[in-house]
């Protein structure tokens, strides 16, 4: 029986909590270790199910992974044992597709299962494949697998049809070992892309422009080893701040990079949350009742889709009506039905949701459907009157390191039950 989270709502969260390293930076960074035969040491990998999944995949491909004393992890792919990412693994975590670019760049061949859709949408990888073909890879799709072959990748100009985070990351990694110069136009500008570029540069790659829509890479014959500290998780930071806000509490999150979540902070302030920024801390004091405001998700630096469900929980308690528009994924309102079971008044119409705020949620048994939807349900449970039970909490554990323990540390009445 999958574990459940039980929450007795109503406590105002108070105190300080440290954020973990970013899941969406750790995953591409681990995949990048495939690009070199030398060891790459990661100082602060988060203990997440998705990190475990990609680590297993890397070991299957030939990586030796060892944990150091001070919590650091060494990954070394001295030689490849396989070039295949099997469906069993890719279907559990679509980010497994991040091994595609590194494998083709390193060994000239890769066989990666096509990721099925997931709860939030179809999520194809056509842009990844078009880009690799531009770099000279022969791409074939058969039996649900992508087969990519290349004697040696050659630098090219690539313009993606849309902004794709892992698409940019896959192409960036592949280009580091291509012959000649690659320019990626319309590149994703997320902090996680920048963090990957920082890691690649420390391994000897020549990358300019990460964080802008134009990244230029001069291929090198091989990469060396290195050491990397993964950036803090801006989505977990936003989630913890929202937990303080939604309960009318006073929460300080430490170890953060405020500029990584400016759009989220702007929305929290519009909703009446009082924020104080420090060098690496953000303090959020919630209003008695949030103010309504509108949200449109956009690629970075716009409002991140990964915070859409969480901010909907906050606005579900607002004094007024808010409109939330999800422009990135076609089906990322799975949390709406469950929030309505807790008393929210939300109506969706295609990519938009109209949220008519209620003064309080009622606790209820609810079911998580994807990572961020489960976070939204936890947030609503914290503010609800009565008991909320969130089932299928494995969704939460994919992307949040001990979130229930962190919330309990802030005074939440939250625990796990089998
Ligand atoms: C990354 O997913 C994140 N995952 C997602 O976080 C995040 O929601 C998303 O970026 C958007 O910010 C990781 O970084 C591991 P995209 P990714 O490619 O790269 C379409 C979480 O909760 N598209 O930027 O898969 C796609 O269908 C997860 O932590 C194509 O059509 O997202 C989507 O509608 C969820 N063809 C849009 O573009 C392609 O080849 C953006 O997708 C690629 C993408």
């Amino acid at each position: 029986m999958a574990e459940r989270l039980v929450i007795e709502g109503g406590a105002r969260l108070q105190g300080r909590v440290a954020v973990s390293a970013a899941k969406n930076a750790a995953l591409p960074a681990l995949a990048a270790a495939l690009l070199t035969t030398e060891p790459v040491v990661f100082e602060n990998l988060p203990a997440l199910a998705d990190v475990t999944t990609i680590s297993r995949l890397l070991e299957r491909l030939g990586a030796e992974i060892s944990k150091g004393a001070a919590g650091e992890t060494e990954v070394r792919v001295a030689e490849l044992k396989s070039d295949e990412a099997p469906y069993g693994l890719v279907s559990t975590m679509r980010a497994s597709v991040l091994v595609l670019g590194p494998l083709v760049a390193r060994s000239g061949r890769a066989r990666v299962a096509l990721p099925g859709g997931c709860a939030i949408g179809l999520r194809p990888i056509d842009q990844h494949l078009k880009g690799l073909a531009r770099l000279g890879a022969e791409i074939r799709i058969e039996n649900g697998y992508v087969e990519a072959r290349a004697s040696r990748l050659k630098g090219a100009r690539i313009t993606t049809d849309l902004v794709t985070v892992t698409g940019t990351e896959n192409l960036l990694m592949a280009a580091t070992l291509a012959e000649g110069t690659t320019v990626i136009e319309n590149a994703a500008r997320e902090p996680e892309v920048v963090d990957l570029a920082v890691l690649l540069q420390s391994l000897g790659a020549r990358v300019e422009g990460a964080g802008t829509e134009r990244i230029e890479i001069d291929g090198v014959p091989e990469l060396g080893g290195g050491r990397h500290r993964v950036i803090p998780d801006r989505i977990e930071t936003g989630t913890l701040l929202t937990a303080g806000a939604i309960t009318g509490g006073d929460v300080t999150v430490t170890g953060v990079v405020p500029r990584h979540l400016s759009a989220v902070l702007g929305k929290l302030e519009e909703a009446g949350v009082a924020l104080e920024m420090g060098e690496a801390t953000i303090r959020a004091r919630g209003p008695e009742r949030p103010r309504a405001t509108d949200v449109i998700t956009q690629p970075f630096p716009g409002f991140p889709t990964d915070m859409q469900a969480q901010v909907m929980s906050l606005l579900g308690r607002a004094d007024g009506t808010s409109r939330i528009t999800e422009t990135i994924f076609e089906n990322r309102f799975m949390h709406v039905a469950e929030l309505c079971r807790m008393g929210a008044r939300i109506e969706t119409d295609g990519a938009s949701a109209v949220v008519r705020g209620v003064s309080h949620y009622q606790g209820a048994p609810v079911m998580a459907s994807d990572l961020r939807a489960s976070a939204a349900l936890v947030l609503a449970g914290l503010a609800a009157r009565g008991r909320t039970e969130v089932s299928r909490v494995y969704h939460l554990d994919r992307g949040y390191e001990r979130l229930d323990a962190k919330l309990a540390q802030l005074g939440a009445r939250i625990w796990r039950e089998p």
Side-chain angles (χ1 to χ4, degrees), residues 327-375:
T327 71
I328 308 294
F329 290 108
E330 66 268 23
N331 181 31
R332 203 169 194 175
F333 286 144
M334 308 284 280
H335 42 288
V336 169
E338 295 302 279
L339 287 173
C340 289
R341 295 184 56 249
M342 297 178 73
R345 289 185 305 178
I346 307 168
E347 282 167 28
T348 60
D349 172 16
S352 279
V354 176
V355 182
R356 295 202 311 279
V358 295
S359 57
H360 62 270
Y361 290 115
Q362 296 119 24
V366 292
M367 189 174 288
S369 54
D370 67 85
L371 168 56
R372 307 303 174 181
S374 44

Side-chain angles (χ1 to χ4, degrees), residues 231-244:
I231 55 170
D233 193 315
R234 60 194 169 100
I235 303 303
E236 185 192 12
T237 303
T239 304
L240 292 167
L241 292 171
T242 306

